[in-house]
C-alpha cells in the first residue's frame, strides 16, 4: 500500500501530543497566550503547575479527538463519525474554557 497524502494529516495530532508532554513537564507557560501577556504581579496569582497541567490535559484530549475524527473520516470512510468527532471537539473546547475561567485551582486569588 502506497503512502497517501491524507495520512500526513495525522502529523498535527502527533505534534499536539508532543506539546501536551511539554506542558505536563511544567514548562510551556510562554505558549499560553493570556498568561504570557500578564504583568509579573498578576502572574503571581496563578498556580503555574496546575495551569500547565490543565493545558496538557486539554491539548492531549484535543489531539485524541482530532486523531479519532481523522481516522473515522479518512481511513474508515465514515463521515458521520468524523462529524461527531468534530462536534465533540467544539463542545469540549467550550466546556474547557468555562472550566479554566471558573477553576480555583488555577487562579488562587479570586
Amino acid at each position: 500500500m502506497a503512502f497517501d497524502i491524507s495520512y500526513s494529516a495525522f502529523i498535527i495530532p502527533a505534534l499536539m501530543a508532543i506539546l501536551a508532554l511539554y506542558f505536563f513537564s511544567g514548562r510551556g507557560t510562554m505558549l499560553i497566550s493570556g498568561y504570557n501577556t500578564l504583568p509579573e504581579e498578576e502572574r503571581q496569582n496563578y498556580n503555574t503547575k496546575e495551569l500547565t497541567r490543565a493545558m496538557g490535559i486539554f491539548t492531549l484530549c484535543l489531539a485524541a479527538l482530532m486523531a479519532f475524527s481523522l481516522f473515522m473520516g479518512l481511513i474508515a470512510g465514515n463521515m458521520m463519525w468524523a462529524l461527531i468527532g468534530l462536534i465533540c471537539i467544539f463542545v469540549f473546547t467550550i466546556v474547557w474554557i468555562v472550566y479554566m475561567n471558573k477553576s480555583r485551582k488555577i487562579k488562587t486569588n479570586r
Side-chain angles (χ1 to χ4, degrees):
M1 183 163 113
F3 179 77
D4 189 12
I5 193 69
S6 62
Y7 292 124
S8 63
F10 287 96
I11 293 173
I12 294 173
L15 290 175
M16 287 183 71
I18 292 169
L19 181 63
L21 293 176
Y22 185 67
F23 280 130
F24 280 130
S25 71
R27 297 174 291 198
T29 55
M30 70 276 201
L31 299 174
I32 302 171
S33 173
Y35 183 80
N36 191 21
T37 59
L38 288 175
E40 188 63 37
E41 54 272 358
E42 286 279 329
R43 288 184 190 182
Q44 301 300 323
N45 296 333
Y46 288 87
N47 184 349
T48 56
K49 181 179 176 186
E50 287 296 325
L51 181 63
T52 55
R53 181 179 172 273
M55 287 304 296
I57 293 170
F58 175 69
T59 309
L60 190 62
C61 289
L62 275 184
L65 287 171
M66 285 176 67
F68 172 77
S69 293
L70 285 170
F71 177 78
M72 294 309 285
L74 297 176
I75 310 300
N78 191 341
M79 295 309 283
M80 180 57 115
W81 278 102
L83 180 63
I84 290 171
L86 286 175
I87 292 169
C88 287
I89 288 172
F90 288 119
V91 169
F92 176 70
T93 302
I94 291 168
V95 168
W96 198 261
I97 289 171
V98 170
Y99 166 74
M100 292 290 282
N101 285 322
K102 300 291 182 182
S103 176
R104 295 191 190 277
K105 289 172 35 176
I106 296 170
K107 187 168 184 181
T108 55
N109 189 10
R110 289 206 183 226

